Amino acid sequence: MATIDIDGVRKRFGNVDVLHGVDLTIADGEFVVLVGPSGCGKSTLLRLIAGLEDISRGAIRIDGERVNDLAPRARDIAMVFQSYALYPHMSVERNMDYSLRLRKTPAERAREAVEGAAGKLGIDRLLQRKPRTLSGGQRQRVAMGRAIVRTPKAFLFDEPLSNLDARLREQMRGEIKKMHQDLGATSIYVTHDQIEAMTLADRIVAMNEGLVQQIGPPRELYEHPTNLFVAGFIGSPAMNFIDATYRREGQNAFLVVGEKRLALDERDVADGTPVTLGLRAEDIAIDADPEDPGAIEATVELVEPLGLGTIVHVQALGTHIKALSLAVVEHRVGSRIWIRPHPEKFHVFEEATGRRLERKAQFAAELPA
Amino acid sequence: MSVQAERRPGWHGTRRRFALRMEPYFYASPALIFIVAVMLVPLAIGLSYAFRDITLLNPFSGGFVGVQHFVDLWHDSDFWQALGNTVTWTVASVSLQFFLGLVLALRLYRPFPGRGLVQALVFVPWAVPMFLSGLNFAWLFNPVIGPLPHWLYAVGILSSPENILSDPAIAIWGPIVANVWWGVPFFAITLLAALQSIPPEIYEAAEIDGAGTWRRFADITVPFLAPTIAITVLLRAVWIANAPDLIVAMTGGGPADSTQIVASYIFTQAFKGLDFGYASAVATVLLMLLLVYALIVLMIRQSLLKAS
């Protein structure tokens, strides 16, 4: 197991800058998830760590050793590919012990390692089969088994679950988490699925357009997204964004949305600044008291029952807003209701820069250390 | 059509069943008639020549001679030499074409500036008619106008700058060289296509697993190419064994029948000796040999398909 230091890493493909300087330190045994939309550079960063691409500038250190010029096989890392990349002409057992045979591991030890890993993953009966006779989920397990038999310094996962159906993905997600708890291995996991990121990560690295947007524990990214991108990317259903203007009159600060005024705590920004108000769907109560000054009139556009709760799409404040209620909601489309966003849960972002505007009073306390 | 036939009143019992059963054959009949007319009938007539005395210049020939041609063949030393030459010619041509084609394919697989152009150029020999390339090589080997004998002499392969095509001991290598030049693109392109069908992640996985260049070649490239190699080598072998063009164009089978392969021997017997009966007998033997070979090819292919 090892620490991984990524120090000012840049990557150019021809004339295109894919990574604009990434700094990240991964602790021994940590599970870090790189998340972002396609093309954000997360896979490239993973391939740079693996050694499958050359680093244009900066340095990557594994356990303190600079690996920029080391071939992948000298870095002692294991990788699970999105396509699994199993060797089709080798049996499951040969797939799993290939790396051990290349390292001239004694046959007895190699067999023990393979059987141990196969037992853990529940593929011990498949050892003599060829990959093409396996289902997607079984192939995925073989790919994981191939990685763990080696006890490498770190595991790299490149969207390992995206070729599985939803049910299997959920199950494998749990197994990967359990495996990480058992092995305690340093892991870097790339995904575009924010649910995978939230459930698996010790820390999430949210990336966009070759830049790290925010690094932190899943809850921190969810509750204190540092900018509009992270706010919009993390969370499902996605955060509601409403154009507003920040106003301050004496001691009272409020947001103006159309005709409506929404009271909030003071922010460190000039009076009259255009801002974007972010509201998570679960922070909006439906069926509010019309007399409540925070209540907003809304028209129901769509009702999506989830089983667990209901997503109600409404037209309000001149835009479309989604509210999540854990209750069974039986409003008819077109009916008028009152919604009330929780003022403590307002996320306010400066429109021009997209950066988060913290509450003035708690500004210092809430900043991540 | 069949639905209508079923519903038409009066169409019942045996007649209807017969019509329904024949229906697919009517659909297939144009193709079947064509194949019988242009392939099976000529084949049967050709085979029948092997048992008849057909000499074009003898108006009284045409009689049935039984297996006489085959008995003659058994005692014909020229035929046996041609058979031996066929093996040399095929093995040498195919193995050199394959080896050079593989090297070329591996070279073209890695990106380099101008790869597209080089790939197109590599294909050029394939586009030259075989017969023309034979004539060209015959000239290249001619010391009066061609440079090759002088170069071979200069590097010490030949003791004097003479035409290798006129030396019975080595003349067969003239057409072999022309054949290799002409046939390398086939292997280069098919092997390149097979190489490009290998998913790059497999190589990346092997690299991360600890495989160096050689192990990646031995453990990934070779197993992936094996089915393509087996099939192309086996098919090209038939093709080359069967192709007299270069021999006829470059040496005409000479000097003194030393470069005759079975296919060119058939050509010589039929169109130079005008003995179609005997030529047909030789062709029949060649056909049998190739059928046996094809059977082996199919069996190997089956076992390869099962293995992969």
Side-chain angles (χ1 to χ4, degrees), chain A residues 47 72-73 77 79 81 83 86-89 98-99 102-103 130 132 150, chain B residues 201-202 204-212 215 219-220 223-224 307-308:
Chain A
R47 292 169 63 81
R73 60 186 174 132
I77 35 97
M79 184 155 163
F81 291 82
S83 63
L86 299 177
Y87 310 123
H89 53 288
Y98 183 60
S99 60
L102 286 174
R103 285 175 171 72
K130 290 276 172 64
R132 92 189 130 81
R150 286 174 45 192
Chain B
E201 311 93 78
I202 302 265
E204 293 176 351
E207 220 174 325
I208 288 175
D209 267 348
R215 287 252 60 95
D219 295 341
I220 310 289
F224 264 90
S308 69

Side-chain angles (χ1 to χ4, degrees), chain A residues 276-337:
Chain A
T276 301
L277 167 63
L279 291 172
R280 293 234 177 259
E282 68 270 30
D283 297 332
I284 302 173
I286 58 174
D287 296 327
D289 179 359
E291 302 300 314
D292 189 322
I296 299 164
E297 196 177 8
T299 311
V300 176
E301 287 188 315
L302 185 67
V303 178
E304 289 183 298
L306 298 175
L308 175 69
T310 312
I311 300 177
V312 183
H313 297 242
V314 298
Q315 172 85 32
L317 298 174
T319 183
H320 304 279
I321 293 176
K322 278 174 281 182
L324 173 67
S325 166
L326 288 182
V328 177
V329 177
E330 304 209 332
H331 289 302
R332 251 182 292 145
V333 171
S335 60
R336 284 212 339 224
I337 61 170

Side-chain angles (χ1 to χ4, degrees), chain B residues 34-74:
Chain B
F34 185 75
I35 288 171
V36 168
V38 305
M39 289 179 70
L40 295 184
V41 170
L43 179 70
I45 294 174
L47 284 175
S48 78
Y49 284 2
F51 301 95
R52 292 164 67 192
D53 168 28
I54 297 190
T55 318
L56 224 51
L57 290 182
N58 180 359
F60 301 107
S61 68
F64 180 74
V65 295
V67 295
Q68 188 55 45
H69 287 319
F70 294 96
V71 175
D72 293 345
L73 195 60
W74 186 258

Side-chain angles (χ1 to χ4, degrees), chain B residues 19-271:
Chain B
L20 285 177
R21 188 173 302 165
M22 288 311 290
E23 195 183 347
Y25 296 99
F26 285 126
Y27 293 135
S29 58
L32 288 176
I33 290 169
F34 185 75
I35 288 171
V36 168
V38 305
M39 289 179 70
L40 295 184
V41 170
L43 179 70
I45 294 174
L47 284 175
S48 78
Y49 284 2
F51 301 95
R52 292 164 67 192
D53 168 28
I54 297 190
T55 318
L56 224 51
L57 290 182
N58 180 359
F60 301 107
S61 68
F64 180 74
V65 295
V67 295
Q68 188 55 45
H69 287 319
F70 294 96
V71 175
D72 293 345
L73 195 60
W74 186 258
H75 299 291
D76 181 353
S77 63
D78 283 347
F79 168 73
W80 290 108
Q81 193 194 350
L83 201 59
N85 280 345
T86 306
V87 174
T88 314
W89 153 258
T90 309
V91 171
S93 300
V94 173
S95 45
L96 285 171
Q97 283 181 5
F98 165 70
F99 181 73
L100 295 174
L102 179 62
V103 170
L104 206 55
L106 289 171
R107 196 66 205 80
L108 288 173
Y109 178 60
R110 293 188 157 277
F112 58 88
R115 177 166 72 156
L117 184 70
V118 176
Q119 269 184 21
L121 286 177
V122 161
F123 212 63
V124 164
W126 190 248
V128 176
M130 216 184 196
F131 192 79
L132 269 187
S133 65
L135 287 179
N136 266 310
F137 267 91
W139 281 9
L140 286 171
F141 280 119
N142 184 334
V144 180
I145 47 170
L148 291 182
H150 304 284
W151 291 349
L152 290 171
Y153 170 67
V155 298
I157 294 174
L158 289 182
S159 54
S160 60
E162 279 170 28
N163 194 340
I164 66 163
L165 298 177
S166 55
D167 181 346
I170 52 170
I172 188 81
W173 289 96
I176 288 176
V177 167
N179 196 6
V180 169
W181 177 83
W182 186 79
V184 160
F186 173 82
F187 278 102
I189 298 300
T190 45
L191 291 174
L192 181 62
L195 278 174
Q196 283 167 339
S197 75
I198 305 176
E201 311 93 78
I202 302 265
Y203 283 112
E204 293 176 351
E207 220 174 325
I208 288 175
D209 267 348
T213 314
W214 167 248
R215 287 252 60 95
R216 289 203 298 276
F217 179 74
D219 295 341
I220 310 289
T221 311
V222 172
F224 264 90
L225 291 188
T228 310
I229 292 175
I231 294 307
T232 48
V233 164
L234 294 171
L235 290 179
R236 283 295 289 162
V238 177
W239 198 341
I240 287 172
N242 238 345
D245 319 31
L246 287 172
I247 305 254
V248 171
M250 291 177 73
T251 66
D257 280 343
S258 65
T259 58
Q260 209 71 271
I261 63 168
V262 176
S264 66
Y265 190 57
I266 295 167
F267 174 84
T268 312
Q269 289 298 325
F271 296 100

Side-chain angles (χ1 to χ4, degrees), chain A residues 52-79:
Chain A
L52 297 172
E53 307 283 352
D54 292 327
I55 298 164
S56 302
R57 278 169 82 180
I60 291 177
R61 279 179 286 274
I62 298 177
D63 249 354
E65 183 194 3
R66 191 173 183 275
V67 296
N68 284 35
D69 304 318
L70 284 186
R73 60 186 174 132
R75 298 190 183 192
D76 193 19
I77 35 97
M79 184 155 163

Side-chain angles (χ1 to χ4, degrees), chain A residues 190-307:
Chain A
V190 162
T191 182
H192 61 265
D193 179 351
Q194 54 91 25
I195 295 181
E196 275 172 37
M198 291 293 289
T199 51
L200 287 170
D202 292 328
R203 276 194 303 158
I204 293 178
V205 179
M207 294 180 66
N208 191 33
E209 296 184 338
L211 282 170
V212 171
Q213 304 290 322
Q214 187 171 5
I215 302 176
R219 289 283 300 269
E220 187 182 307
L221 267 75
Y222 191 80
E223 288 166 7
H224 291 278
T226 190
N227 58 31
L228 267 176
F229 169 78
V230 178
F233 195 81
I234 302 286
S236 174
M239 190 184 273
N240 298 294
F241 290 131
I242 300 152
D243 291 334
T245 309
Y246 177 80
R247 298 298 312 273
R248 195 167 46 209
E249 283 174 2
Q251 286 303 308
N252 298 326
F254 53 91
L255 293 175
V256 179
V257 186
E259 316 255 286
K260 187 81 191 167
R261 286 177 167 212
L262 299 168
L264 87 163
D265 300 314
E266 211 177 318
R267 310 281 152 148
D268 192 12
V269 71
D271 183 26
T273 307
V275 295
T276 301
L277 167 63
L279 291 172
R280 293 234 177 259
E282 68 270 30
D283 297 332
I284 302 173
I286 58 174
D287 296 327
D289 179 359
E291 302 300 314
D292 189 322
I296 299 164
E297 196 177 8
T299 311
V300 176
E301 287 188 315
L302 185 67
V303 178
E304 289 183 298
L306 298 175

